Each structure stands twice: as C-alpha cells, then as structure tokens.
Amino acid sequence: MMEVIRVQTSKLMRFLWLALVILSLAIDLPFAVKAKQLPLVINTWPVPSATAEAWSQISRGSSAVEAVVKGCSKCEELQCRGSVGYGGKPDEHGETTLDAMIMNGATMEVGSVGDLRRIKNAIGVAHAVMMYSKHTLIVGESAKEFAKGMGFVEEDLSTNKSFNDWRAWERNNCQPNFRKNVVPDPTLHCGPYRPAENVSSSGNHDIMDTGPDNHDTIGMVVVDSKGNVASGTSTNGLNHKIPGRVGDSPIVGAGSYASNAGGGAAATGNGDIMMRFLPSFHAVMEMEKGASPREAATLAFSRMTKFYPDFSGAIIAANTKGEYGVACYGYESHTFCVQSPADSKVEMVTVLCLQKQGNSSDRGTVYTVLVIVSSLMSLVSLF
C-alpha cells in the first residue's frame, strides 16, 4: 500500500513540476529574468570581479572568446569562493588540480583541459588547446606538458590552507569521500581500497551534497554586440575527489555550450551528474528552437531531476538578442552576476530555486507546490 502511495506521489510531483514550469513562463517568477541589451556578460555565482573584467574586455572591442578567457582568468587569480584556481579543493592525495573549457559559438571550436596539474591559468591553457591544436580536450600530466610548451609556468598549486584542509580530512578518517563498493568501508576508513566481493549495480541514486561549501564552478557566457557567443568554465573541482577525476566543467555541453544559432549556457552543481545529461547543450538547443533563456534553462533541469531528485545546481542561459534567464534546483537561492549597456555596473541578482522532492518530505513538498500552483492559476485567471 505504501509503495502504491509513493508511486502516486511521484507521479503527482512530476505533474506539479511541469505545471509549475508552464505557469512560470506565463508570469514572472523569481527565477525568470527579462530582456537586456547587447553586449552581455553573465556568470554563475556572486563573483562581480570576473564579470567586470569580461565587460571591460568586450566594451573595448575584444572578442567574446577573449572576454570569457579574461573574465574566468580573473576568477582564477582571485581564487573565487575557494573553488576556482590554485589553493582550492585538494584531492585524496592533497593535490589541487584544475578543469576548464572555452567554446566559440561562431566557429564551434572548443578547447578544454581536465585534471590539469601545477599550472595556474587553466582557462588560458584551454584557450591554447583551441588555438594551437586540432584537439578538443587534453588531460592530466600531458595537459601540463602541453601548457609548458605553450609558455605557461609550472608552479605548485597548493597553499597552506589547502594542505591543512587535506590533513584535517585525513585525520577525520578520510570523511567524506567518493568511494563505494570497496573495502575497507569507505564511510569509516581511509584507503588503500580494493573492490568488495559480490557487488552488483543497485541503481542507487544517492549522491553526495555538492552545494556551495563543497564545489562551485565559474561558468560564463558572453554575447558581443554582433551576436557572437562564447562560453567558458573554470574550477578546481570537488573537495577530496578521487585523483584523476574530471568533472563536467571541461565537457562540451555539460559545463557550458555556445552557438550563434541559439545562444550560450553554463551550469554549476554536481558535475558527475550533469555530464550524464549535458544540460548546457540542451538549454542551447531549446533556445535554437525558440525557447526563451529562462524556459530553456528550466527545461534542462527536468531530465536530471527525474533520475536524481536530490541533485542541486543552477543553469544560466542567454540568447543572441540579449535576453537571459536562470533556473536553479535544490538550493534555496542562487546569486549570479550580469552586465549589459542597461547597467552602469555589475548587477548581482538573487533568484529563488525550485526545491528538492525528497521522500521524507513529499507530503509537505506536494502541499507547498499545490499552494504555489493554485495561486498561479488564480493569478493567470485574472488576465
């Protein structure tokens, strides 16, 4: 009986989710943002210094690609939120490694680096991959060697803080970590680990929280005055990740995507989930079909939350007309930065997020969404 109720509740939640999306497009919910002007710079998270740097570049005639590179580079220099650039989240071995990408929506060229070691300017190296190779993605030690050949300086990415964070994690029995189906029990002990016996895929969709205290990515979209689009990302990834792990940030269509035919999008959140669904790609494809940026960003979430209701993340999107939109899920709110000719300075905007549909609070969530949908229906009936 309880299973029947759970299934019915799940179906109701999906119906209410779709109803909320549809009704939100008819009126101006907090996660919906209206039109602006060109050129346009928009990025995830409250990092106005990155926005200002990109705006400075695009305002004086630099390309959209150059503006994204300079904007994300500024964030790397400033170690934005501790999750971008050197000295950030160490892996299980205590080393900070970097992921980044840049995409040109006019030519569809991409440059990406993953698991980059001992080179600070990750998005600069990604740009070099685009400019000086016929490849799309270079990773690990080979990415470092490529960077050195392109004139980047090798240096230690660790700081006293990242080292102390790693030692504290070790003293706490390596908790939390990203291991499963191994012995010794990874929820109680450090490694070395080996596979547990009689392991089979359980379809368990439990995921570790990757909220702002664990992992952010700067994702940026720039549209120049002619409608040329570029997007990019930079991050040092998940705290205490398994060495060699590469997240969504350098994966085309996951971390970001750009196309002059539709616009650009960038995502932040649990990269191991997002790269399975390519939300940035889907958001841009929706804009190519005529969806507004806010609609496109919201629709990109629906596929992920169907399989991973505990997922948390945000997507920014902008089209070639200077319209932009943001959708977020699982967080209470998400703050992003934007600048256009309509703004005298960088504008930081906070939007409310759609909430998780956890089993433990399905009844309360259903009630909350019912109230929202009911209220929206009442408002729509007035027009």
Side-chain angles (χ1 to χ4, degrees), residues 225-239:
S225 58
K226 297 179 180 179
N228 294 309
V229 186
S231 68
T233 62
S234 184
T235 185
N236 52 41
L238 286 171
N239 207 7

Side-chain angles (χ1 to χ4, degrees), residues 146-265:
F146 171 82
K148 289 167 60 178
M150 295 296 103
F152 292 86
V153 177
E154 180 178 358
E155 52 193 319
D156 191 358
L157 300 186
S158 298
T159 61
N160 288 338
K161 182 181 185 307
S162 66
F163 177 78
N164 290 334
D165 287 348
W166 171 63
R167 290 303 301 270
W169 175 78
E170 277 200 322
R171 289 193 295 269
N172 191 41
N173 296 319
C174 303
Q175 301 303 309
N177 62 62
F178 293 89
R179 304 281 182 166
K180 68 175 186 178
N181 298 328
V182 294
V183 290
D185 185 346
T187 66
L188 299 174
H189 304 285
C190 296
Y193 302 102
R194 64 184 187 277
E197 296 181 0
N198 302 319
V199 173
S200 61
S201 178
S202 63
N204 190 340
H205 285 172
D206 289 343
I207 56 177
M208 185 180 293
D209 177 41
T210 55
D213 292 335
N214 189 5
H215 164 66
D216 303 334
T217 299
I218 181 169
M220 180 177 285
V221 175
V222 173
V223 186
D224 71 16
S225 58
K226 297 179 180 179
N228 294 309
V229 186
S231 68
T233 62
S234 184
T235 185
N236 52 41
L238 286 171
N239 207 7
H240 313 307
K241 62 193 174 188
I242 297 172
R245 181 262 188 185
V246 174
D248 68 303
S249 295
I251 305 302
V252 182
S256 79
Y257 196 78
S259 166
N260 279 15

Side-chain angles (χ1 to χ4, degrees), residues 8-23:
Q8 290 175 340
T9 301
S10 178
K11 289 181 178 178
L12 179 58
M13 288 302 301
R14 288 197 292 270
F15 168 77
L16 293 173
W17 166 271
L18 291 174
L20 184 57
V21 169
I22 292 168
L23 289 169

Side-chain angles (χ1 to χ4, degrees), residues 108-383:
M108 306 308 287
E109 294 175 289
V110 177
S112 295
V113 288
D115 191 30
L116 178 67
R117 303 173 180 179
R118 299 183 62 82
I119 304 290
K120 283 186 176 180
N121 186 199
I123 196 163
V125 180
H127 189 219
V129 172
M130 175 194 286
M131 296 297 296
Y132 305 118
S133 84
K134 297 180 180 180
H135 297 310
T136 294
L137 172 63
I138 302 178
V139 300
E141 285 293 322
S142 297
K144 181 191 74 175
E145 294 304 316
F146 171 82
K148 289 167 60 178
M150 295 296 103
F152 292 86
V153 177
E154 180 178 358
E155 52 193 319
D156 191 358
L157 300 186
S158 298
T159 61
N160 288 338
K161 182 181 185 307
S162 66
F163 177 78
N164 290 334
D165 287 348
W166 171 63
R167 290 303 301 270
W169 175 78
E170 277 200 322
R171 289 193 295 269
N172 191 41
N173 296 319
C174 303
Q175 301 303 309
N177 62 62
F178 293 89
R179 304 281 182 166
K180 68 175 186 178
N181 298 328
V182 294
V183 290
D185 185 346
T187 66
L188 299 174
H189 304 285
C190 296
Y193 302 102
R194 64 184 187 277
E197 296 181 0
N198 302 319
V199 173
S200 61
S201 178
S202 63
N204 190 340
H205 285 172
D206 289 343
I207 56 177
M208 185 180 293
D209 177 41
T210 55
D213 292 335
N214 189 5
H215 164 66
D216 303 334
T217 299
I218 181 169
M220 180 177 285
V221 175
V222 173
V223 186
D224 71 16
S225 58
K226 297 179 180 179
N228 294 309
V229 186
S231 68
T233 62
S234 184
T235 185
N236 52 41
L238 286 171
N239 207 7
H240 313 307
K241 62 193 174 188
I242 297 172
R245 181 262 188 185
V246 174
D248 68 303
S249 295
I251 305 302
V252 182
S256 79
Y257 196 78
S259 166
N260 279 15
T268 182
N270 189 313
D272 290 295
I273 302 303
M274 289 191 292
M275 72 171 71
R276 303 171 193 179
F277 296 92
L278 303 179
S280 296
F281 170 78
H282 283 286
V284 174
M285 292 301 100
E286 292 293 340
M287 288 190 289
E288 285 194 11
K289 292 187 291 186
S292 69
R294 65 177 183 178
E295 179 184 9
T298 305
L299 290 172
F301 270 123
S302 62
R303 300 170 69 252
M304 288 186 287
T305 56
K306 175 183 177 182
F307 288 94
Y308 295 94
D310 289 329
F311 168 84
S312 298
I315 300 173
I316 59 171
N319 63 23
T320 56
K321 295 183 290 186
E323 298 170 335
Y324 64 87
V326 178
C328 49
Y329 179 86
Y331 305 137
E332 288 186 4
S333 63
H334 178 72
T335 301
F336 65 97
C337 294
V338 63
Q339 189 162 12
S340 78
D343 308 306
S344 60
K345 59 181 181 180
V346 176
E347 182 181 1
M348 287 196 292
V349 183
T350 299
V351 294
L352 301 180
C353 300
L354 296 170
Q355 295 302 303
K356 297 178 182 180
Q357 305 162 16
N359 289 336
S360 62
S361 59
D362 272 345
R363 183 176 300 174
T365 305
V366 169
Y367 174 78
T368 301
V369 178
L370 276 172
V371 171
I372 293 172
V373 172
S374 177
S375 300
L376 290 175
M377 287 179 174
S378 298
L379 286 172
V380 170
S381 68
L382 297 177
F383 294 92

